[in-house]
Amino acid sequence: VGFHAYPQWFRGGFIGVDIFFVISGYLISAIIFGNLQSDSFTYQEFYRRRVRRIFPALVVVLLACLGVGWFGLLASDYQQLGQHTLGGTSFVSNFVLWRESGYFDTNAEAKPLLHLWSLAIEEQFYILWPLLLGWVWQRKWNFFAVTSAVALLSFGVNLLSFPGHAAAAFYSPLSRFWELMMGGLLAYAALYRPILIARYRN
């Protein structure tokens, strides 16, 4: 909050998003790992919980921004807000903002829904990660190995994106998923610590 209000005083505020992704990856992975292990995981229940947690607040924010924007934004900016609202409801805000980035991009002050890029990446993670883990579980593959592989692949994409494709590195889920995977690895270590300790001793 301090970084966005006074960026000249509080440096490096974007690290908060990185921490958020790690925490989110930890919590979601812990839920999925635990439910799969106890044979109680269902996609319907998982997605129902995510919708109940995210959508009420999201709808309020979207409607409030549309209402305030009607009186406070120029016509072109309000049209852009409509596109951002559509992107927010369809989980693709990061791609919408990525497409807009460049020399002629609108100032951030005229984008009240700019922050939804990170929520979009989280939602894309919610969609893809359970499907992958369920597929891995059916084949009895190792969660740790798969999570590590995804993390390394995503981190490699992140490194290769600089400096020529900075906007892609910032907005693309391919270059962000490694942070969520770090949380997944921590969740695996917390749930399967005895197994990891036994392997290390051996």
Side-chain angles (χ1 to χ4, degrees), residues 75-108:
S76 59
D77 292 333
Y78 193 73
Q79 181 181 13
Q80 185 180 64
L81 177 61
Q83 296 174 351
H84 293 173
T85 301
L86 181 60
T89 57
S90 54
F91 319 139
V92 293
S93 291
N94 54 325
F95 293 113
V96 173
L97 294 164
W98 179 6
R99 185 185 62 187
E100 293 174 355
S101 63
Y103 184 81
F104 296 101
D105 193 9
T106 307
N107 290 333

Side-chain angles (χ1 to χ4, degrees), residues 1-13:
V1 173
F3 170 73
H4 284 284
Y6 306 100
Q8 69 276 18
W9 294 349
F10 298 94
R11 301 292 184 181

Side-chain angles (χ1 to χ4, degrees), residues 2-190:
F3 170 73
H4 284 284
Y6 306 100
Q8 69 276 18
W9 294 349
F10 298 94
R11 301 292 184 181
F14 286 114
I15 192 67
V17 177
D18 302 308
I19 296 172
F20 164 76
F21 282 148
V22 175
I23 294 174
S24 181
Y26 175 87
L27 294 175
I28 296 304
S29 297
I31 291 172
I32 299 173
F33 289 157
N35 288 345
L36 285 172
Q37 191 69 41
S38 63
D39 200 27
S40 61
F41 177 80
T42 64
Y43 293 110
Q44 294 86 346
E45 180 64 15
F46 175 83
Y47 292 125
R48 184 182 67 83
R49 287 177 178 270
R50 303 287 77 73
V51 168
R52 290 179 59 185
R53 187 180 72 84
I54 294 174
F55 272 75
L58 177 62
V59 169
V60 170
V61 169
L62 294 177
L63 291 177
C65 287
L66 287 172
V68 174
W70 178 262
F71 298 99
L73 294 176
L74 298 174
S76 59
D77 292 333
Y78 193 73
Q79 181 181 13
Q80 185 180 64
L81 177 61
Q83 296 174 351
H84 293 173
T85 301
L86 181 60
T89 57
S90 54
F91 319 139
V92 293
S93 291
N94 54 325
F95 293 113
V96 173
L97 294 164
W98 179 6
R99 185 185 62 187
E100 293 174 355
S101 63
Y103 184 81
F104 296 101
D105 193 9
T106 307
N107 290 333
E109 291 80 1
K111 294 183 176 183
L113 297 178
L114 178 62
H115 63 288
L116 290 186
W117 74 267
S118 60
L119 179 61
I121 289 180
E122 186 183 22
E123 290 167 335
Q124 290 154 18
F125 170 73
Y126 288 166
I127 293 172
L128 298 175
W129 189 230
L131 296 175
L132 177 60
L133 288 183
W135 187 72
V136 168
W137 176 255
Q138 290 177 351
R139 283 153 182 77
K140 303 187 183 302
W141 291 355
N142 186 280
F143 284 146
F144 186 82
V146 172
T147 306
S148 299
V150 175
L152 289 173
L153 180 62
S154 175
F155 188 65
V157 172
N158 182 278
L159 293 178
L160 293 174
S161 298
F162 284 102
H165 305 282
F170 189 86
Y171 287 118
S172 174
L174 295 179
S175 57
R176 287 286 187 172
F177 273 6
W178 71 271
E179 296 172 313
L180 293 146
M181 293 299 99
M182 293 303 296
L185 291 172
L186 292 172
Y188 183 92

